[in-house]
Amino acid sequence: AAVKDIAPQLAALERAYASSGDFIAGSTLSYADLFLAPILAYLGAFPEGANLLSDAPHIRRAQGVMSQRASFKATQPQHG
């Protein structure tokens, strides 16, 4: 039910990442990136969220950068 509410939020994030690059608020890592990374990771774990993210190449690019950070890898939840 939340998909309709998430889509416009992702659109805003997509525009922000399109203009700023790999980080949400400029050329360097910020608290905003650290806050968004786990939210986007959990969103992508659900079929509906993965579908929404499939239309967001700039978010996926930025999430790829974040997912390579040692801190991100060390705090990934164990699935299964």
Side-chain angles (χ1 to χ4, degrees), residues 3 7 11 17 22 30-31 37 41 43-44 48 50 54 57 60 67 69-70 72:
V3 170
Y17 280 117
D22 292 337
S30 70
Y31 283 121
L43 179 64
E48 300 87 352
S54 71
R60 288 194 326 271
S67 69
R69 296 181 57 78
F72 189 92

Side-chain angles (χ1 to χ4, degrees), residues 12-72:
L13 288 173
E14 180 68 5
R15 289 189 302 274
Y17 280 117
S19 66
S20 68
D22 292 337
F23 304 106
I24 192 75
S27 61
T28 59
L29 182 70
S30 70
Y31 283 121
D33 301 297
L34 298 172
F35 179 77
L36 284 171
I39 293 169
L40 293 171
Y42 279 112
L43 179 64
F46 294 94
E48 300 87 352
N51 186 44
L52 288 170
L53 290 170
S54 71
D55 293 331
H58 299 293
I59 293 173
R60 288 194 326 271
R61 181 198 66 243
Q63 191 66 3
V65 169
M66 290 301 292
S67 69
Q68 295 306 305
R69 296 181 57 78
S71 59
F72 189 92

